[in-house]
Amino acid sequence: MKKLFYFILFALPFLATAQEQKGTPIFIENSDFQDINQFEFPDAMILTGNVRANHDGAILTCNKAYYYMKENYLKAFGNVNIVQGDTLYLHGDYAEYNGNVRQAYTTGNVSLRSPEMSLVTDKINFDRNSQVAYYDTPGTIVNKENTLTSNTGKYYVAQKKYQFLTAVTITNPKYVIKSNHLDYYTNSGHSYLYGPSTITSKENYIYTEKGFYNTKTNKAHFVKNSYIKYNDRLIKGDSLFYDRNKEFASATRNVKITDSINKAIIKGHYGEVYRNKDSLYITKRASVRYLIEKDSMFVHAKRLVVTGKPNERVVRGYNNVRFFKTDMSGKCDSLHSSQKKALTQLIGKPIMWNYENQLTGDLMHLIGNNETEKLDSLKVLENAFIASKDTIGTGYNQVKGQNLYGKFVDNKLSEVDMIKNTEVVYYMRDDKNELIGINKNVSSKINIQFEESKINTITFFKDVDGDIYPEKELPENARKLRGFNWRGDERIRTKEDIFPPEENAYDYEAQKEKAAEDALPDAPMEVRKETLEYDKKNPPAKKIQ
């Protein structure tokens, strides 16, 4: 009490000028010694030892201070601490505080702490009006498992938010985030990425230009130019969701998954990837493209499921499977393809076109060679049927039997054996393409040799019964075998034809534009508004520094 009495007496000469203050006066609660030196420190009160000042609820303590009562300004030296309630603790070797504008400047071994984080840097400016602290010297922030480093940054006390508009790095034991514009909430661990950003870990590499990452739950959402890259897969989409704990990713709109090991590209408008289970699911205009030699095979289904480790992938297609390759196309209800066995099964009303030849049956097997990466053979089981148009006339060459076994050479059907209860209708022509007659007969087995994808020779085995008929002697109704059904109008002739009309009707581009206007998910309303405003005012950011 005695010290305070002497201090009041000592301060009387300054009271007249104190009326010029524009803000609440700084109140000096304590100091061990007080002095005035008008020659060295004009208009300043020199306070030494256990200095304690109070201004609008903020407490400043230090070893020594110069108090300029006229300007309502304080310079503090040695072990400076500024405490604002239980929300902020600012420490440094030196500080200046302006009571009129309620702003503080601290330098020298500076640290800024709150219950959930600490910041270490060289200089900090703190505006108590806006409740924003900012620094432009290299700083390190520790928030539980996360360490953030940057050259500049702002801390919003009320929101418990750091904002970085230049290069910033978040280091976590599981990953590293780098960005040029990031908002980080210390209480929730939420990170909002607004410019080119990367997330690197042992499991994958993530790139985005607009995204959200919850560092507590390890769940994320990316909505602009984003992709997730594993050792063997690259996942892209207009919108990506990622769960690090489950190693699960889902993608929406314009999804593209590249399988680099198996030379496959999978597309659709919704997809899911479980890395630890080696499984992938895709739907909504789903397709997969395989690279076979210098050609590509395109496969579509309403749902595609890919499982298995690299080089042992199994592809399953469900509902309305359609496929196209330059020399081959077809349709079926479902598909099962095993990479390890080099076996593709077409199940449920399969039909296939190999050049001009139409093949049908109850079940089809395409068998490949993993060493040459070429088609090796073909099986058509139960009700096998081959049909092709006569080269000149209006008739159809037809071969049917119970089962068909074919061989491919350079991915072209070279030879076929038709087994059991075989029948033939074949238009025979000479070298001048003039019709010799129509061969119609039955036998136990037929061998067909193809040349330039057309029937060249037919050989009949066992119990052969039939003849070659002049065209006029064979009625029209006898020129078609039972079960014949020409479906040339259904033939898939381009890779775009693998999608049926109903799959093309949905306006995905309109959905993409609508989704692009959406703010980040799980964000507070004020953050979502900030996100939209930032996108409107700021052009695309530069690459990560």
Side-chain angles (χ1 to χ4, degrees), residues 356-381:
E356 302 305 317
N357 302 302
Q358 174 184 291
L359 292 83
T360 55
D362 294 351
L363 177 66
M364 287 188 187
H365 289 180
L366 287 169
I367 303 162
N369 185 316
N370 283 333
E371 293 184 3
T372 62
E373 296 184 350
K374 295 181 180 181
L375 281 173
D376 179 77
S377 55
L378 165 71
K379 291 182 181 179
V380 181
L381 306 177

Side-chain angles (χ1 to χ4, degrees), residues 60-73:
L60 183 149
T61 62
C62 62
N63 296 335
K64 182 179 180 179
Y66 299 154
Y67 177 39
Y68 298 86
M69 186 176 291
K70 181 179 179 180
E71 289 86 7
N72 200 23
Y73 198 90

Side-chain angles (χ1 to χ4, degrees), residues 458-474:
I458 301 178
T459 306
F460 305 94
F461 300 89
K462 294 183 182 180
D463 305 321
V464 180
D465 184 14
D467 206 345
I468 298 175
Y469 298 90
E471 184 177 15
K472 295 180 181 179
E473 295 183 11
L474 191 64

Side-chain angles (χ1 to χ4, degrees), residues 226-435:
S226 311
Y227 64 80
I228 302 173
K229 184 178 181 181
Y230 292 99
N231 289 334
D232 58 341
R233 282 178 177 166
L234 179 67
I235 306 165
K236 291 184 177 181
D238 291 347
S239 176
L240 295 178
F241 171 81
Y242 175 61
D243 186 332
R244 183 177 298 279
N245 297 327
K246 296 180 180 178
E247 276 305 330
F248 166 80
S250 65
T252 306
R253 295 181 300 275
N254 297 305
V255 180
K256 181 180 179 181
I257 303 171
T258 304
D259 186 336
S260 57
I261 292 179
N262 297 293
K263 301 177 182 178
I265 296 177
I266 303 159
K267 293 184 178 181
H269 287 284
Y270 179 75
E272 296 179 353
V273 176
Y274 289 87
R275 178 180 176 271
N276 294 337
K277 297 180 181 179
D278 284 304
S279 69
L280 179 157
Y281 166 86
I282 196 156
T283 187
K284 296 183 179 179
R285 213 166 185 267
S287 69
V288 57
R289 188 193 82 179
Y290 290 104
L291 182 63
I292 302 175
E293 284 192 299
K294 297 180 181 180
D295 201 359
S296 295
M297 168 80 84
F298 298 87
V299 181
H300 160 78
K302 286 189 176 180
R303 292 181 296 134
L304 284 169
V305 179
V306 183
T307 58
K309 298 178 181 180
N311 299 316
E312 296 182 5
R313 301 278 196 237
V314 175
V315 178
R316 296 175 177 87
Y318 301 97
N319 304 115
N320 199 10
V321 175
R322 301 159 67 96
F323 60 92
F324 170 81
K325 189 173 173 290
T326 304
D327 50 14
M328 181 184 299
S329 63
K331 303 192 297 182
C332 59
D333 291 338
S334 61
L335 173 146
H336 184 285
S337 181
S338 169
Q339 184 182 23
K340 186 176 182 179
K341 297 179 181 179
L343 172 63
T344 299
Q345 300 177 66
L346 310 180
I347 306 165
K349 302 177 182 178
I351 180 170
M352 185 176 74
W353 292 273
N354 181 243
Y355 290 97
E356 302 305 317
N357 302 302
Q358 174 184 291
L359 292 83
T360 55
D362 294 351
L363 177 66
M364 287 188 187
H365 289 180
L366 287 169
I367 303 162
N369 185 316
N370 283 333
E371 293 184 3
T372 62
E373 296 184 350
K374 295 181 180 181
L375 281 173
D376 179 77
S377 55
L378 165 71
K379 291 182 181 179
V380 181
L381 306 177
E382 300 297 330
N383 298 310
F385 206 119
I386 302 178
S388 63
K389 279 188 174 184
D390 179 32
T391 52
I392 296 178
T394 58
Y396 297 89
N397 295 314
Q398 304 151 62
V399 183
K400 65 176 291 189
Q402 182 171 318
N403 298 324
L404 179 153
Y405 302 94
K407 292 292 293 182
F408 289 94
V409 174
D410 293 330
N411 294 316
K412 296 180 181 179
L413 196 59
S414 174
E415 180 181 1
V416 161
D417 284 326
M418 193 74 77
I419 307 298
K420 198 173 181 181
N421 302 325
T422 62
E423 299 181 53
V424 169
V425 171
Y426 178 64
Y427 287 74
M428 301 179 66
R429 296 185 177 274
D430 58 21
D431 295 339
K432 297 179 181 180
N433 279 329
E434 293 182 359
L435 184 63

Side-chain angles (χ1 to χ4, degrees), residues 469-530:
Y469 298 90
E471 184 177 15
K472 295 180 181 179
E473 295 183 11
L474 191 64
E476 286 288 339
N477 59 4
R479 298 180 187 179
K480 293 180 180 178
L481 300 177
R482 187 173 183 179
F484 169 78
N485 181 16
W486 182 251
R487 298 164 60 183
D489 57 339
E490 299 178 35
R491 183 176 173 183
I492 299 167
R493 298 181 180 275
T494 67
K495 62 182 182 181
E496 288 77 16
D497 290 343
I498 63 172
F499 300 107
E502 61 270 19
E503 291 279 346
N504 291 317
Y506 191 81
D507 192 351
Y508 290 103
E509 288 302 318
Q511 293 298 312
K512 176 184 175 182
E513 291 177 6
K514 179 179 180 300
E517 297 176 358
D518 294 342
L520 291 169
D522 305 323
M525 182 57 69
E526 62 270 16
V527 174
R528 292 162 60 181
K529 289 180 179 178
E530 288 177 12

